Amino acid sequence: MPAERLKAVCVFCGSSAGKNEAYVRAATELGTALVENGLELVYGGGNRGLMGAVAASVAERGGVVTGFIPETMTQFEGLQTVGTVHFVPTMHARKAAMAEASGAFVALPGGFGTFEELLEMVTWSQLRLHDKPVAILNTLGFYDPFLALLDRAVEDGFIAPVNRGLLIVKDNVPDLLAAIIDYTRPENAGYDLDWSKAPQPVVLP
């Protein structure tokens, strides 16, 4: 992907900080690097945990922060008070809005929600719903068990080896940003689907 095409990076991460300060340091470093590279942050709109750390890092350095959050979730995640926050009606709408506003996706450590968001973006890439880079910042080897599962799925014939390459994995921020800025989609990865020909959804009475 040419650098001029990448304007905003969507970051998926935990609303908890985790038990090791290295996770917060990595989130803060990523936020700083986004600003230094002229990139905007798109994220889930909360102000707790790693979500809050990366957003604060971008905002404190004068970067652009855009959050999307269902209003109900503010009861748990809190509300980011810097940047621009858009309220959306559902979790599905949240993910769709984040995907539309972003040119790349990065997952930091997190829980169920982070895993689900990461896997959906990889799945969408495989289905050619987008051609944007999807990456993991593998701080402290957090994602090593998950990556081992993916390798097992390749070995057992559930994931095509070329599609395994749709997921970028780096253990440090400089390498990760370089990979997404210079991203070229793996040749022959995914399915050759033309979504412009998809039928309109059926509206049930």
Side-chain angles (χ1 to χ4, degrees), residues 8-13 42-45 51 66-70 88 91-105 117 121 124 132:
V9 175
C10 179
V11 176
F12 303 128
C13 57
V42 174
Y43 84 123
M51 293 177 69
T66 303
F68 295 92
I69 188 170
V88 293
M91 295 295 285
H92 292 295
R94 181 196 216 183
K95 288 183 293 182
M98 293 166 71
E100 180 67 23
S102 305
F105 308 94
E117 290 165 332
M121 289 305 105
W124 286 10
K132 303 170 184 178

Side-chain angles (χ1 to χ4, degrees), residues 21 42-43 46 52-53 59 74 94 102-103 115 131-133 135 152 174 197 201:
E21 292 182 1
V42 174
Y43 84 123
T74 65
R94 181 196 216 183
S102 305
F115 303 153
D131 289 327
K132 303 170 184 178
R152 174 64 185 269
K197 299 178 180 180

